[in-house]
Amino acid sequence: EVHLVESGGGMVNPGGSLTPPCAASGFTFSSVDMSWVRQAPGKGPEWVSGINTGGGSTYYAESVKGRFTISRDNAKNTLYLQMNSLKPEDTALYFCARNALPVDFCSVAKCYETHWGQGTQVTVSS
Protein backbone atom coordinates (compact mmCIF):
# COMPACT_ATOMS: atom_id res chain seq x y z
CA GLU A 1 0.00 0.00 0.00
CA VAL A 2 1.29 3.43 -0.96
CA HIS A 3 2.04 5.59 2.06
CA LEU A 4 3.07 9.25 1.89
CA VAL A 5 3.64 11.09 5.17
CA GLU A 6 4.33 14.81 5.10
CA SER A 7 5.66 16.71 8.11
CA GLY A 8 7.67 19.81 9.00
CA GLY A 9 5.09 22.48 8.33
CA GLY A 10 4.40 25.34 10.70
CA MET A 11 3.78 29.04 11.07
CA VAL A 12 6.44 31.46 9.91
CA ASN A 13 6.78 35.18 9.31
CA PRO A 14 6.91 36.50 5.74
CA GLY A 15 10.41 36.00 4.43
CA GLY A 16 10.93 32.91 6.56
CA SER A 17 11.89 29.38 5.52
CA LEU A 18 10.69 25.81 5.98
CA THR A 19 11.82 22.47 4.56
CA PRO A 20 9.08 19.88 4.99
CA PRO A 21 9.99 16.28 4.24
CA CYS A 22 7.72 13.57 2.80
CA ALA A 23 8.43 9.97 3.79
CA ALA A 24 7.35 7.43 1.18
CA SER A 25 6.73 3.70 1.51
CA GLY A 26 4.84 0.88 -0.17
CA PHE A 27 6.35 1.38 -3.61
CA THR A 28 9.75 1.70 -5.30
CA PHE A 29 10.36 5.37 -4.55
CA SER A 30 13.47 5.64 -6.73
CA SER A 31 11.48 4.58 -9.82
CA VAL A 32 8.78 7.26 -9.61
CA ASP A 33 8.77 10.95 -10.52
CA MET A 34 7.38 12.94 -7.58
CA SER A 35 5.62 16.25 -7.03
CA TRP A 36 4.56 18.65 -4.31
CA VAL A 37 1.00 19.97 -4.52
CA ARG A 38 -0.67 22.56 -2.29
CA GLN A 39 -4.22 23.52 -1.52
CA ALA A 40 -5.15 26.85 0.00
CA PRO A 41 -8.44 27.33 1.87
CA GLY A 42 -11.34 27.55 -0.54
CA LYS A 43 -9.18 26.82 -3.59
CA GLY A 44 -8.40 23.80 -5.73
CA PRO A 45 -5.10 21.92 -5.72
CA GLU A 46 -2.11 23.70 -7.22
CA TRP A 47 0.93 21.84 -8.52
CA VAL A 48 4.03 23.43 -6.97
CA SER A 49 7.08 21.45 -8.04
CA GLY A 50 8.21 18.14 -9.52
CA ILE A 51 11.37 16.06 -9.71
CA ASN A 52 12.42 13.12 -11.85
CA THR A 53 13.52 9.74 -10.50
CA GLY A 54 17.22 10.54 -10.22
CA GLY A 55 16.75 14.09 -8.96
CA GLY A 56 18.61 15.67 -11.86
CA SER A 57 15.58 17.39 -13.40
CA THR A 58 13.36 19.72 -11.40
CA TYR A 59 10.37 21.85 -12.37
CA TYR A 60 8.51 24.65 -10.61
CA ALA A 61 5.32 26.63 -10.87
CA GLU A 62 5.96 30.26 -11.76
CA SER A 63 4.57 31.34 -8.39
CA VAL A 64 7.43 29.63 -6.51
CA LYS A 65 10.29 29.65 -9.02
CA GLY A 66 13.47 31.04 -7.49
CA ARG A 67 12.18 30.60 -3.93
CA PHE A 68 11.47 26.87 -3.59
CA THR A 69 13.83 23.92 -4.22
CA ILE A 70 12.64 20.33 -4.53
CA SER A 71 15.00 17.44 -3.83
CA ARG A 72 14.92 13.75 -3.00
CA ASP A 73 16.99 11.18 -1.15
CA ASN A 74 16.29 7.82 -2.78
CA ALA A 75 18.33 5.98 -0.14
CA LYS A 76 15.97 7.33 2.52
CA ASN A 77 12.77 7.23 0.41
CA THR A 78 12.24 10.88 1.23
CA LEU A 79 11.16 13.92 -0.79
CA TYR A 80 11.89 17.47 0.36
CA LEU A 81 10.69 20.97 -0.46
CA GLN A 82 12.98 23.78 0.66
CA MET A 83 10.84 26.91 0.86
CA ASN A 84 12.58 30.27 1.21
CA SER A 85 11.31 33.84 1.11
CA LEU A 86 7.85 32.66 2.08
CA LYS A 87 4.89 34.92 1.34
CA PRO A 88 1.39 35.00 2.85
CA GLU A 89 0.05 33.62 -0.44
CA ASP A 90 2.11 30.46 0.14
CA THR A 91 -0.21 29.60 3.04
CA ALA A 92 -1.71 26.19 2.23
CA LEU A 93 -1.82 22.50 3.05
CA TYR A 94 1.15 20.91 1.27
CA PHE A 95 1.06 17.35 -0.05
CA CYS A 96 3.58 15.14 -1.78
CA ALA A 97 2.28 12.99 -4.62
CA ARG A 98 3.46 10.33 -7.01
CA ASN A 99 3.45 11.40 -10.62
CA ALA A 100 1.06 9.75 -13.05
CA LEU A 101 2.85 11.49 -15.95
CA PRO A 102 6.55 12.32 -16.47
CA VAL A 103 7.49 15.38 -14.49
CA ASP A 104 8.18 17.50 -17.57
CA PHE A 105 4.44 17.37 -18.36
CA CYS A 106 3.52 19.06 -15.08
CA SER A 107 3.44 22.61 -16.41
CA VAL A 108 0.87 21.70 -19.07
CA ALA A 109 -1.19 18.88 -17.55
CA LYS A 110 -2.32 17.42 -14.26
CA CYS A 111 0.65 15.15 -13.75
CA TYR A 112 0.14 13.83 -10.23
CA GLU A 113 -1.90 11.06 -8.64
CA THR A 114 -4.56 12.09 -6.15
CA HIS A 115 -3.52 9.54 -3.53
CA TRP A 116 -2.05 11.85 -0.91
CA GLY A 117 -1.07 11.75 2.74
CA GLN A 118 -2.57 13.98 5.38
CA GLY A 119 -0.49 16.93 4.26
CA THR A 120 1.46 19.46 6.29
CA GLN A 121 0.09 22.94 7.01
CA VAL A 122 2.23 25.94 6.13
CA THR A 123 1.01 29.30 7.40
CA VAL A 124 2.85 32.52 6.52
CA SER A 125 1.71 35.44 8.61
CA SER A 126 3.09 38.30 10.62
Side-chain angles (χ1 to χ4, degrees):
E1 181 183 357
V2 172
H3 233 66
L4 299 167
V5 180
E6 304 90 348
S7 61
M11 180 176 288
V12 297
N13 292 328
S17 299
L18 286 171
T19 307
C22 166
S25 61
F27 64 102
T28 306
F29 179 74
S30 60
S31 298
V32 180
D33 291 359
M34 296 291 295
S35 285
W36 282 95
V37 180
R38 67 186 180 186
Q39 187 160 15
K43 296 187 177 181
E46 177 191 12
W47 175 80
V48 173
S49 181
I51 189 168
N52 71 341
T53 54
S57 295
T58 57
Y59 300 82
Y60 300 92
E62 285 298 322
S63 57
V64 306
K65 197 172 289 185
R67 300 186 298 121
F68 289 13
T69 302
I70 190 171
S71 62
R72 66 192 297 162
D73 185 336
N74 286 341
K76 296 182 178 179
N77 289 351
T78 303
L79 182 72
Y80 302 94
L81 185 67
Q82 181 178 348
M83 303 187 289
N84 297 327
S85 302
L86 282 161
K87 304 176 180 180
E89 52 264 43
D90 294 318
T91 295
L93 194 58
Y94 283 73
F95 301 90
C96 63
R98 302 196 316 172
N99 271 45
L101 296 174
V103 67
D104 50 343
F105 279 77
C106 292
S107 62
V108 296
K110 180 185 172 185
C111 62
Y112 51 88
E113 296 179 354
T114 52
H115 177 100
W116 299 339
Q118 81 289 347
T120 188
Q121 178 67 40
V122 173
T123 302
V124 185
S125 174
S126 54

